[in-house]
């Protein structure tokens, strides 16, 4: 991502929510902490079950199938007085070397609500991706580098509750 004041002639300003086509699925990659902050905001309040989490040691990918609230569409839904939406999305971390968890019941039917994503840098570009869930659960994903993809994989659908998530 580049800044609008970047002196390079080929520089483009960063993308904004307003630039996105709300009818197109998201397909974003975070390669630094600024990018990860965007993915974290988009994935906030996503719900999933423990059964929707997979770590493929051979390919070194850790994936979650989320039921993501469409924050990028919330203002338009409110203005148009239409239901809020959710969409099924894959959140995938690559180059994973180890996964740990704390405070998460391993029962596959356990429902989790994602609060945020954070990166704790280590040495030489390595680090730990932290996925924090409501109820103090955390998954720590150690990786050789920060590489996280968020991709919508279904069409948006009406949020079952009909409401936007609210935080105190």
């Amino acid at each position: 991502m580049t800044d609008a004041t970047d002196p390079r002639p080929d520089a483009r300003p960063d993308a904004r929510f307003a630039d996105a086509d709300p009818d197109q699925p998201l397909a974003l990659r975070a390669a630094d902490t600024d990018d990860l902050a965007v993915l974290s905001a988009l994935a906030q309040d996503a719900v999933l079950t423990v059964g929707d989490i997979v770590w493929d040691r051979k390919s070194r990918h850790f994936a979650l199938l989320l039921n993501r609230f469409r924050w990028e569409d919330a203002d338009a839904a409110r203005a148009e007085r239409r239901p809020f939406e959710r969409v099924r999305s894959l959140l995938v971390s690559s180059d994973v070397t180890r996964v740990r968890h704390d405070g998460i019941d391993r029962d596959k039917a356990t429902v989790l609500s994602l609060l945020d994503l954070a990166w704790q840098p280590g040495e030489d570009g390595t680090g730990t991706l932290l996925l924090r869930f409501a109820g103090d659960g955390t998954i720590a994903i150690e990786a050789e580098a920060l590489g996280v993809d968020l991709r919508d994989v279904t069409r948006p659908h009406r949020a079952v509750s009909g409401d936007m998530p609210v935080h105190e």
Side-chain angles (χ1 to χ4, degrees):
M1 292 185 192
T2 60
D3 186 284
T5 60
D6 193 319
R8 296 176 302 173
D10 63 336
R12 296 186 332 254
D14 282 349
R16 302 169 299 151
F17 276 148
D19 297 331
D21 180 348
D23 296 326
Q24 294 298 314
L26 289 181
L28 302 171
R29 180 168 183 78
D32 62 33
T33 54
D34 290 338
D35 296 346
L36 188 63
V38 173
L39 290 191
S40 181
L42 290 166
Q44 182 179 8
D45 299 307
V47 292
L48 66 151
T49 65
V50 170
D52 293 328
I53 301 172
V54 175
W55 179 25
D56 184 343
R57 285 183 172 95
K58 187 174 179 178
S59 71
R60 300 184 345 148
H61 286 93
F62 185 86
L64 300 94
L65 181 60
L66 309 172
N67 191 7
R68 184 178 72 77
F69 183 82
R70 292 190 67 226
W71 287 107
E72 69 278 15
D73 183 59
D75 288 341
R78 188 181 306 111
E80 297 168 14
R81 297 183 183 269
R82 61 176 167 79
F84 294 107
E85 296 177 335
R86 287 192 173 264
V87 63
R88 296 290 274 177
S89 304
L90 280 173
L91 182 73
V92 181
S93 180
S94 23
D95 299 319
V96 175
T97 57
R98 183 177 177 202
V99 176
R100 297 173 286 128
H101 65 88
D102 184 39
I104 295 178
D105 185 340
R106 294 186 69 158
D107 181 333
K108 290 189 182 297
T110 299
V111 176
L112 303 172
S113 179
L114 184 63
L115 296 179
D116 72 353
L117 309 170
W119 178 253
Q120 290 182 334
E123 295 180 16
D124 299 326
T126 65
T128 303
L129 176 67
L130 297 173
L131 292 99
R132 291 185 274 241
F133 299 91
D136 297 326
T138 302
I139 296 176
I141 304 166
E142 295 179 22
E144 289 184 0
L146 175 54
V148 181
D149 294 287
L150 179 65
R151 178 178 302 272
D152 293 344
V153 294
T154 66
R155 291 179 181 242
H157 57 274
R158 182 185 179 281
V160 174
S161 71
D163 295 326
M164 180 167 63
V166 177
H167 298 273
E168 295 179 13

